[in-house]
Amino acid sequence: MKTIAIIDYGMSNLSSVVKATKYVAPNSHVIVSSDFNEIDSADKVIFPGQGAAKNCMLSIFEKKLDSVIKKNANEKPFLGICMGMQVLMDFSEENEGIDCLGIIKGSVKKFNNSNKNIKIPHMGWNKIKKNNEHPIWNGIKDESYFYFVHSYLIEPESDANIIGTTEYGGEFCSVISKKNIVAIQGHPEKSSSAGLKFLKNFIEMK
Amino acid sequence: MSVTKRIIPCLDVDNGRVVKGTKFVDIIDAGDPIEVAKKYNDQGADEITFLDITASSSNRKTILDVVENVASQVFIPLTVGGGISSVDDIRLLLNSGADKITINTAAIKNPKLVSDASEAVGSQCIVVAIDAKRKDSSSDNVWEIYTHGGRNATGIDALKWAEEMEKRGAGELLVTSMDKDGTKEGFDLELMKEINSKVNIPTIASGGVGTLEDLYEGISVGNADAVLAASIFHFGTYTVQDVKKYLKEKGVNVRITNE
């Protein structure tokens, strides 16, 4: 039986991610963990997150999760969700600026609302446009709707890794992939059938 | 392309069962919350709100089981309200699988609860419900906040209250007109417009929906980001699909999944 570890850095409500993962992977062993060995021995890792970047990074360091995240992000299918996507970058503008994990080159910026024409946070259902082929998109239609809740967005240095984009006060990278890493700004665990398919595709990634 | 306008069916839950017609007719058992929630998810609901109307406090924990069970099978945002009075209550519901919590009377008794809760669990989880009634003597746009289903006046001005709740960290406002609730005459559009001119957080219009046109006006005239309705869905007058099809034809950006 395959084990899927969901990283618990202590600041996030994980129940939705756990429930959705169990739903799409009934034959897998789903664990919630902040233990190096447990996470390191899992077959796949999901790194969900919510809240502020600074609290997230402080908890990661406090629980000494940075090394296991960096190691596993290089070794096995690894899925970052929402804040779990943002902190993979080098740096976030949030909370007067905070260094992040530096696993993907680029930074995290606040939505540009100089025209005051969008509400922040970006909250609700929005389309993701597929930018590149990727196994995570198997059976998911282009421009499927996903559920989003966030005030900051990622700006990767290289466009090559962008596999999904979304429009909100401009186009931003909503799904990124680098080798075995996939990360999404939206919440697949709350995105009905498209989101469940996305999670299932991740579970099936080799 | 932007975020879509959300259509939110609201379910009244009493002792773990979905009931309908709480206001003008006897409560009728409408079924198993999981089945009802699944049905609305299949119809394309963007979110589901559960309002716990269980009277006895000893039975209140049944809502936790309801949320736990629904959240294990229905994967869209779930909002829960009714009788929530502390950050601990909120945490319990979030841990059971709720995504957002609606605070109503408790925010009026203790506005700091909204600040504490948004600090503790994030603004995105905190919805403040505003039950407002137009001042009788006033031909101007003045509304007062009421509690207990429109029975108790608080003396609080609804527009000022909306601004205060935003400052305290509310992530959304659920605005119900106590003049319109249950009438099927449509939303109080002036109320929605005024609140939306004061705050920059999303607003949900509620109270008074009878027709598809009412829902459209809540969005197009009232500037609401989402519309919430109960009876038109429960009594099968319209499905969520009907609503979205109508709104789309009117040019409203809605999530239609089967195209």
Side-chain angles (χ1 to χ4, degrees), chain A residues 1 33 119-121 126 134 136 141 152 160 168 170-171 188 195:
Chain A
M1 192 186 256
S33 179
K119 288 190 179 182
I120 295 172
N126 205 338
H134 191 282
I136 202 79
K141 284 186 186 152
Y152 289 77
Y168 195 67
E171 190 178 52

Side-chain angles (χ1 to χ4, degrees), chain A residues 13 15-16 19-20 23 50 119 122-127 141 145 147 149 167-168 189-192 196, chain B residues 1-4 6 41 46 68 71-72 75-77 94-97 99-100 124 201 225 254-255 259:
Chain A
N13 176 25
S15 72
S16 295
K19 286 181 167 73
Y23 187 84
Q50 53 191 213
K119 288 190 179 182
H122 171 220
M123 199 212 54
W125 295 83
N126 205 338
K127 287 176 181 172
K141 284 186 186 152
Y145 285 99
Y147 188 76
V149 188
E167 279 285 324
Y168 195 67
E189 76 279 11
K190 283 287 149 189
S191 299
S192 201
L196 293 176
Chain B
M1 205 160 71
S2 188
V3 281
T4 60
R6 285 168 288 145
N41 176 50
D46 296 307
E68 178 81 42
S72 301
F75 299 96
I76 56 175
L94 294 175
N95 289 337
S96 298
D99 300 285
K100 305 179 194 182
Q124 78 282 354
I201 50 178
D225 298 282
V254 286
R255 177 179 71 108
E259 57 177 16

Side-chain angles (χ1 to χ4, degrees), chain A residues 112-158:
Chain A
N112 176 5
N113 194 21
S114 47
N115 304 331
K116 299 261 177 210
N117 57 354
I118 53 169
K119 288 190 179 182
I120 295 172
H122 171 220
M123 199 212 54
W125 295 83
N126 205 338
K127 287 176 181 172
I128 298 182
K129 199 163 154 245
K130 294 193 213 174
N131 258 44
N132 272 306
E133 286 306 315
H134 191 282
I136 202 79
W137 290 132
N138 285 347
I140 298 175
K141 284 186 186 152
D142 193 23
E143 305 204 339
S144 284
Y145 285 99
F146 281 75
Y147 188 76
F148 289 84
V149 188
H150 62 123
S151 302
Y152 289 77
L153 52 93
I154 70 159
E155 285 190 356
E157 266 180 27
S158 161

Side-chain angles (χ1 to χ4, degrees), chain B residues 11 18 30-41 48 74 234:
Chain B
L11 311 180
V18 177
D32 177 2
I34 301 174
E35 293 310 314
V36 180
K38 269 188 184 166
K39 182 181 82 180
Y40 290 138
N41 176 50
I48 295 176
V74 177
H234 301 329

